[in-house]
Structure formats: C-alpha cells, structure tokens
C-alpha cells in the first residue's frame, strides 16, 4: 500500500489533512493512526501516577478510580482483559479497605479519619511483563456523626431498699440512632464526669444504669456522664441526669419500745442495760451510730441524777431515792432524719441498805491509777477499764482456783493456768471453767473505791 493509499483509508486527504467527511462522521472508514506509535519490538510505555481520592469515614463507601492518571503509551488506561488494556492488582491496602478490579476502593463504615496509602500495580494485558506501581492516597474525611447525650430524670428509686435505674443512655443517639455502649466501631464509650458520684451511687459503665445503695437518703441526685464515639474519640457529648430517690410512702418502720429495767440499788447507784435493746428499724434491731441504716439516740426527759449514755444505757447516781423513774428518749433514723420514734422506759430504784464494804482501795495511786491496771485484794480482782470505770469480780478461777488477770484490750478476765475466760461481769465465755465468777458492786467516793456484795 502506498503512502497516499494509507492516508486515504485513514480519512486524510493527499495533503495529510483529516477529510471533512471523517470530521462529520460520514466516511465509512476513519481509523486514525497512533500519532506516537511504539517502536517495533519495544514494550508500550506504561505509567501509574499517584492520585488522591476522598471518602466520608462515617458511612464509608466507594471512591472514584485510583487509575484516573494512569496511561498506557500516552493514552488513559482501560482496565479489562482485552489487548491494549491493563489489569489491576493490589500491593498494599490498609485494613478495612478493598481495592476493586475497576480501580475504585471500598471503605467500610466508621473508618477513622486520616490519610491512607493504597499501593497498586497496573499490568499490560498484551505484555504481562510490562507494569507500573504507584501509591494513591485515600483521604477519609472528618464527617463526624452527630452524637447527643440527653439529660433525663429517672423513675424514683426506694432509698430504703436501694435499687438500679434504667439506662441513662437509653435516649442518647449517634447520628440519630440509639447508642450502643461497647468498644467496636460505631459504638460509644461511657465515662462518669462527676466523680465520685453522690451518696454512694454507682454509674455502671457497661450499660449506663445507676445503682442506688440501700439506706440512701431521699433527694434528687445529679449524675453527669459523657458518651464518646469509639471510631472518632474527639466526638463526644455530656449530659447531666437526675436520679430521684424517695422514701415517700415507704419509710422504714422505726419502733422505740417502752420497757421496765431491772432494779438499780439506789444506795450504790449503777447502770441499766440498754433501753434500745428491744428497739427496731424495719424489723431489725437498731444500731446506734452515725452511718446510713443506723439511728441517733437523744434524750427527751431524764430525771435528776440519771444519765442517758450514748449506748442506750442509763446510769443512776449513788444515793438516789427509791422509786420508779421515767426516762423518755427518741431514736431517729440517720438516713431519713424525719423518721423517728419516742419511748418512755421505767427505771426502778430500790432502797437496799448498804452493808460494810468487802474491800476499799485508793485508786489515785498504784495499779488502779491507770486504765487497764488491776489488783487482787481479799480474793477480789478490781480492774480499771479503758474508760476509767471499775470492775470487781471474784479472783479465783472456778476451774482450779488460779487467780485470773484482767485483759484491757478485750475488757475481760483470763485465767493463765488453762486459758479459761470470763466477761467483764464474770460470765464464762471460754472453758474449761463452767461456773461464773461472782460479780461485785463498786462505789467510788473521791479517790476511794469500795467493793460491795
């Protein structure tokens, strides 16, 4: 074929100008030769050039082709399996991304913001040894979902028994969808903002509920918390919810029980057992103290010469006239200070004539001058307690007659012979002894302590 015939078939005139019929699309054959034909026997020039594509990380999706800048012999590459086309293979693709056969990249939803390098290779189908490698950048943009922690007021919890609220995060959303607490992409992390929480409340971080311990005082408690998107840790929201604790209609039953104590010898005086021994709070014996679930003891009416002690006992002074004395007191729930009960107990005082003392000692000197000290006189062991009071019991152990010792730390009596133990009033608490020691009455006048039967 001559040169003239070649150009004529290609749609060119004799002068090498494209014929108007080809421009107008009228010619039957208008094949245009490659202006830069490859050198015979040489591989086509293949180029893979870097590109940058952008995708939103929250929803994920598929990018435009990374091969937009790639060429084969100067012409944009065509991905396929035919002659003159190229096929695509991945070299390095980040986790959560997929390089598709058409040159696009699929990014999973909830991919963290950042620039990700995707390395790939294009290879000429016709000549499989002809390839080029490049690295494209997939930009995952900051398309933070709307995160919203909603403040709420919980259903009331009974403060007496305690309980657990519904989840504070039940109304919270991430991009309009209820949040899920966890560690996976698309979930949220829960943290307490208020720390420690009021009144011993506990925010359960795994489900958003709040646990209210028993004996929590009635009131409205503020709990501030934060939810943070796991995928994008800078995306968070804070809310302050109100935990309602009530005892309305459910106050524990508090009951101070009137009683008549054992008689006290008015000549020597003495101390009763605790007036609160029969008192109850919600059916359980009261404990005097300052902690939740305990009660406070206060006097209402106390006769002259009588003392209501902090443990509920009453001390009657020596030389108190015989008679029945009314002692009125009140117990009040610590948790709910409006919840109280009053009782009047009777303290009988007898006029038992006093006999001559069994022993008299000076407590200003010697072992009895110090708390914890003791001595044995006339078969009686006299001990001074940690509070400065005095105890007197028979000294001989009822097992084999060895004199007992007073143990301050336990406020009891111990036999060094075989290890028998007795309470501060002489009652056997540990064998081998089986019989109690005899308890005596002590009367202190100035620094002179007398022991009576």
């Amino acid at each position: 074929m001559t040169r003239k015939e070649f150009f004529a078939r290609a749609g060119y005139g004799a002068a090498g100008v494209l014929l108007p019929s080809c421009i107008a699309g009228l010619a039957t054959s208008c094949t245009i030769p490659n202006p830069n034909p490859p050198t015979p026997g040489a591989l086509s020039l293949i180029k893979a050039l870097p590109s940058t594509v952008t995708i939103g990380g929250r929803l994920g999706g598929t990018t435009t082709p990374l091969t937009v800048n790639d060429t084969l012999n100067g012409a944009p590459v065509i991905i396929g399996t035919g002659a003159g086309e190229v096929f695509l293979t991945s070299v390095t693709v980040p986790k959560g991304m997929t390089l598709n056969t058409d040159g696009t990249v699929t990014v999973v939803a909830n991919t963290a913001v950042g620039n990700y390098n995707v390395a790939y290779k294009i290879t000429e189908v016709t000549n499989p040894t002809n390839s080029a490698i490049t690295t494209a950048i997939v930009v995952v943009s900051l398309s933070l979902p709307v995160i919203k922690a909603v403040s709420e007021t919980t259903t009331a919890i009974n403060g007496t028994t305690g309980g657990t609220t519904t989840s504070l995060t039940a109304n919270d959303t991430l991009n309009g969808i209820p949040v899920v607490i966890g560690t996976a992409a698309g979930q949220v992390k829960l943290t307490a903002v208020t720390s420690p929480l009021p009144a011993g409340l506990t925010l359960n971080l795994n489900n958003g509920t709040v646990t209210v311990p028993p004996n929590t005082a009635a009131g409205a408690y503020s709990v501030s918390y934060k939810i943070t998107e796991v995928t994008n840790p800078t995306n968070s929201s804070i809310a302050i919810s109100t935990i309602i604790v009530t005892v309305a209609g459910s106050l524990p039953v508090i009951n101070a029980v009137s009683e008549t104590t054992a008689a006290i010898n008015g000549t020597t005086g003495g101390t009763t057992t605790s007036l609160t021994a029969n008192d109850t709070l919600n059916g359980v014996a009261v404990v005097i103290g300052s902690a939740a679930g305990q009660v406070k003891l206060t006097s209402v009416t106390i006769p002259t010469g009588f003392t209501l002690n902090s443990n509920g006992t009453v001390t009657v002074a020596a030389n108190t006239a015989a008679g029945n004395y009314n002692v009125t007191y009140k117990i009040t729930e610590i948790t709910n200070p409006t919840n109280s009960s009053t009782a009047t107990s009777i303290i009988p005082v007898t006029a038992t004539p006093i006999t001559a003392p069994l022993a008299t000692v000076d407590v200003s000197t010697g072992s009895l001058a110090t708390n914890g000290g003791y001595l044995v006189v006339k078969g009686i062991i006299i001990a001074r307690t940690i509070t400065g009071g005095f105890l007197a019991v028979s000294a001989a152990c009822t097992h084999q007659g060895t004199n007992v010792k007073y143990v301050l730390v336990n406020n009891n009596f111990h036999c060094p012979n075989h290890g028998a133990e007795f309470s501060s009033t002489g009652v056997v608490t540990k064998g081998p002894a089986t019989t109690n020691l005899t308890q005596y009455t002590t009367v202190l006048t100035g620094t002179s302590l007398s022991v009576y039967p």
Side-chain angles (χ1 to χ4, degrees):
M1 180 185 300
T2 65
R3 179 181 179 85
K4 181 177 181 180
E5 290 173 333
F6 172 79
F7 277 99
R9 285 193 179 185
Y12 286 82
V17 179
L18 188 62
L19 299 176
S21 58
C22 273
I23 297 175
L26 300 177
T28 56
S29 177
C30 291
T31 301
I32 303 173
N34 189 339
N36 299 302
T39 304
L43 292 176
S44 301
L45 180 61
I46 190 169
K47 289 185 178 181
L49 301 177
S51 62
T52 300
V53 294
T54 301
I55 194 78
R58 178 177 62 83
L59 297 178
T62 300
T63 68
T64 55
L66 305 185
T67 57
V68 63
N69 296 328
D70 300 348
T71 59
L72 178 62
N73 216 42
V77 297
I78 298 174
I79 299 174
T81 58
E85 296 177 339
V86 299
F87 62 88
L88 189 70
T89 52
S90 60
V91 177
T92 304
V93 179
K95 183 179 180 180
M97 298 185 181
T98 302
L99 179 62
N100 302 312
T101 57
D102 62 357
T104 62
V105 173
T106 298
V107 179
V108 298
N110 295 308
T111 295
V113 172
N115 293 344
Y116 296 83
N117 293 331
V118 175
Y120 66 93
K121 178 170 69 172
I122 53 174
T123 302
E124 186 183 4
V125 172
T126 307
N127 299 293
T129 60
N130 191 26
S131 62
I133 296 176
T134 190
T135 298
I137 299 175
V138 177
V139 178
V140 177
S141 64
L142 184 65
S143 55
L144 290 176
V146 176
I147 189 169
K148 191 173 184 181
V150 180
S151 299
E152 64 179 304
T153 299
T154 66
T155 302
I157 296 291
N158 184 336
T160 302
T161 59
T164 299
T165 69
T166 54
S167 178
L168 302 187
T169 62
N171 299 325
D172 298 351
T173 56
L174 180 62
N175 222 48
I177 299 173
V179 298
V180 176
I181 299 172
T183 58
Q187 296 180 339
V188 299
K189 175 184 177 183
L190 176 67
T191 53
V193 176
T194 304
S195 181
L197 296 183
L201 274 62
T202 302
L203 175 61
N204 303 307
L205 302 182
N206 60 333
N207 60 13
T209 61
V210 174
T211 298
V212 179
N215 298 307
T216 298
Y221 297 88
S222 294
V223 172
S224 181
Y225 68 93
K226 178 170 69 172
I227 52 173
T228 303
E229 187 186 3
V230 171
T231 304
N232 300 295
T234 60
N235 193 25
S236 62
S237 180
I238 294 175
I240 301 176
S241 289
T242 302
I243 313 300
I244 301 296
V245 177
T246 181
V247 290
S250 60
L251 279 173
V253 177
I254 189 168
N255 192 10
V257 180
S258 299
E259 64 179 303
T260 300
T261 69
I264 296 294
N265 185 339
T267 304
T268 59
T271 299
T272 69
T273 55
S274 177
L275 302 187
T276 62
N278 298 325
D279 298 351
T280 57
L281 178 63
N282 229 34
V284 179
V286 299
V287 176
I288 300 172
S290 58
Q294 297 180 341
V295 300
K296 175 184 178 183
L297 176 69
T298 53
S299 60
V300 177
T301 305
I302 304 293
T304 301
F306 287 63
T307 303
L308 177 63
N309 302 310
S310 59
N311 61 0
T313 61
V314 174
T315 298
V316 179
N319 299 309
T320 297
N324 290 333
Y325 293 84
N326 291 335
V327 172
T328 303
Y329 67 94
K330 180 171 70 171
I331 53 174
T332 302
E333 186 187 3
I334 297 295
T335 304
N336 300 295
T338 61
N339 193 26
S340 62
S341 180
T342 301
T344 300
S345 290
I346 299 174
I347 314 294
V349 177
T350 61
T352 304
I354 193 166
T355 60
L358 300 175
T360 300
V361 295
D362 183 358
V363 299
S364 64
T365 61
S367 59
L368 292 180
T370 304
N371 292 348
Y374 66 92
L375 59 79
V376 176
V377 56
K378 296 183 178 180
I380 301 170
I381 181 170
I382 304 171
R384 186 162 188 161
T385 68
I386 190 68
T387 59
F390 293 94
L391 304 172
V393 297
S394 54
C397 175
T398 56
H399 178 227
Q400 289 188 349
T402 304
N403 280 350
V404 297
K405 296 181 178 181
Y406 176 67
V407 181
L408 177 65
V409 67
N410 297 326
N411 190 33
N412 71 351
F413 296 96
H414 172 78
C415 178
N417 192 9
H418 295 102
E421 293 186 357
F422 305 84
S423 72
S424 61
T425 59
V427 176
V428 174
T429 58
K430 179 182 176 183
T434 58
T435 304
N436 299 337
L437 301 176
T438 301
Q439 182 183 16
Y440 300 102
T441 300
T442 60
V443 176
L444 181 66
T445 304
T447 61
S448 179
L449 182 74
S450 297
V451 180
Y452 296 91

